[in-house]
Amino acid sequence: MSAGDRDDGPRTLKTVTMASRVIDAVRERGGVGVSELATQLEVSKSTAYIHLKTLEENGLLVQRDDRYELAFEFSVLGESARNRSPLYRYGKPKVDELADETGQYTHIVTEENGRGINLYQVKGETGVDGDYQSAKLQQRDHLHYTASGKAILASLPRDRVAEIVDRHGLPAQTANTITDRETLFDELETIRDRGYAYNDEEEIEGFCAIGVPVRNPDDDVLGSLSVSAPAQFMRDEQARERLSERVMRSANVIEVNINMSS
Amino acid sequence: MSAGDRDDGPRTLKTVTMASRVIDAVRERGGVGVSELATQLEVSKSTAYIHLKTLEENGLLVQRDDRYELAFEFSVLGESARNRSPLYRYGKPKVDELADETGQYTHIVTEENGRGINLYQVKGETGVDGDYQSAKLQQRDHLHYTASGKAILASLPRDRVAEIVDRHGLPAQTANTITDRETLFDELETIRDRGYAYNDEEEIEGFCAIGVPVRNPDDDVLGSLSVSAPAQFMRDEQARERLSERVMRSANVIEVNINMSS
DNA sequence: TAGTTCGTTCGAAATAGTCGAACGACCGAA
DNA sequence: TTCGGTCGTTCGACTATTTCGAACGAACTA
C-alpha cells in the first residue's frame, strides 16, 4: 500500500469504504463501465468488476446499456430517510403553499456533516426554467453561500460553525460569496438580529433568496425554509420585506406543527 | 459458517453484502443500536459495531439519539437515480397536472428487479389524507396488485412476466387480488386490448385505480402513469371512462415528449 | 485479418474481517 | 449507595476474504 495511509479515525472496513467509493463514482459519472471504474479508483479490473457485481446483486446498481447505474432502490432509501425528518413531513405542504403564493422557487434544506441537503423544493409559476430544479436537488451544497445555509449556520453554536468552516472552507461561487471567516460571523450575527438570512447573488448571479431557520422546542435547528427569486424582484425593498415576513410566518407555522406533534 | 451456504450466482464480496444487509435493517427498523443489529443479523457485537461505524464514516448513516439512521445522503443518491429516468423527468409535470385536474392521487411507477417502484406521486385535492402518501413512496410493491404494475406487466414479454411471478409470487393483498397465474395472464390480455389497467380494490379495499403504460420508441416499457380514486368514484362507469381517456392522453403526451428528446 | 478494447474467470498471495473476552459508562432496582 | 444488567467500545489472534495479474473470448476498428 502507498505510504500515506491515513488513520480514518476509528477502525473501518476497507471493503465497505471501497464500495462506497464505487457508488460515489457511479453517481458522479452517471454510470460507469468496469474498466473505466478501475482506472478512476486505481484498482484492478477484476476488483472493479466484483464490486459492481456485488452491488448489483444487492439491488443497489443496475446495468443499463452496458453501464452500471444507480438503482431506483436509492430512491426508496432516500424517501425513507427524508420521511423520518419532521421538517420534511411538516414542511412539504408549506413549501407547496409558499411556492403557489409567491410563484418563486421554494425549498427546505437541512444540514448533514456540515453540508446543506435540499430535502424538497418546488418551482413556482414565475420560477425560471432550466436545469436549476434537478441540479439543486441532487446536490449537497456548502452552507455559506445560500440563504438556507446561512440561516442554519446562524442557528448553530459558534464553535460548530467554526468546525464546519474548517472542514469545508469558504469557496467562492460568485463575486458576492462570503469567503472571509470574520465577515461570515458578522453576517450570522446580522441574521440572528434580523430573523432571516439574505442571499445577495452569492450563489448564482442574478439570483437572491431569503432563508429562515426552523427550530424544535429545544432550540436545535432542524433546517430552514427558503424562497429564491430573481435579483430584480428582490431589489424592490418592499417586495423583499413582504416576502421575508411571509417566509418567517410559514417557518413559524412549521415549527408549531412539529412541536404539537411531539 | 452454517451448512446451507448457497451460491450467490457470481462471486461476490461478502463484506459488501453484509453492509447492504445493515442498510436494509436500518431502513426496516427506522434506526438501530449496535446490540440490536447484532442480534438481528446474527453477528457479533463488534462486527455490527464496525459496520455501523464504517457506514457512518462514509456518510451513509448518521447517529441520532443513540441510534444509527439512514443519512440524507440517500436522498441525494435517490434524486440522482430518479433524474436519470426520462419517465420521471418528463412525467413529473404531467403528474402534477393530472392530480390538479382530477383531484386524485396520481403516480408514476417503474419496474426494477420485478418490483414496482413509485418514482413520484401527488395527492390531489380530494385525495384522502393519511399515511398513504408517504407509505407508498417508501415502498417497493408487487406488480400484480396495482393498476400501475399491471399496466407494466401487460407491456412486458410473456416469459419476463413468468419470471417475475416465479420470483415474487402472487401474494394476496385484499380479497380481490389476482392470485392465480392464468387469471393474471388473461387480465394482461384484457389490458392490452383495452389500453389501460384497472385495479378493482385489489391492493387496498375501497380504492380503485387506472394505470397506463409509458413506452419508448423501441416499444420498451419505461413504467406507467396511474390515478387512484375511491371505489365509489370509480363505480360510475362514465367517470371511469372519462378518467381513463384522460390518463391515456397524458401517458401519450409523456411518450411523445420523451421521444422528441432523444 | 490483425490489433484494440471490453467484460469475465481463476488460483494464489496478501490483506482484511470476524470473533470473544474484557472494559467503563450508564440505568434502574434493591 | 451498591449491585446487576445493559449498552457501546477496544483489542489481539485466528481465519476467511479480498485483491491482483494473467489469460480468455467477444466485439469493434482499421
Side-chain angles (χ1 to χ4, degrees), chain A residues 1 13-15 33-35 45 49:
Chain A
M1 286 233 163
L13 301 168
K14 327 219 162 166
T15 317
V34 175
S35 302
K45 266 200 304 178
Y49 176 73

Side-chain angles (χ1 to χ4, degrees), chain A residues 17-57:
Chain A
T17 299
M18 179 69 198
S20 172
R21 291 179 60 209
V22 172
I23 291 168
D24 241 56
V26 173
R27 195 220 8 237
E28 264 169 34
R29 323 204 111 195
V32 298
V34 175
S35 302
E36 186 186 351
L37 181 70
T39 310
Q40 159 127 8
L41 299 187
E42 301 186 283
V43 293
S44 67
K45 266 200 304 178
S46 42
T47 300
Y49 176 73
I50 199 175
H51 269 276
L52 290 169
K53 270 294 176 236
T54 303
L55 290 169
E56 186 188 24
E57 281 276 315

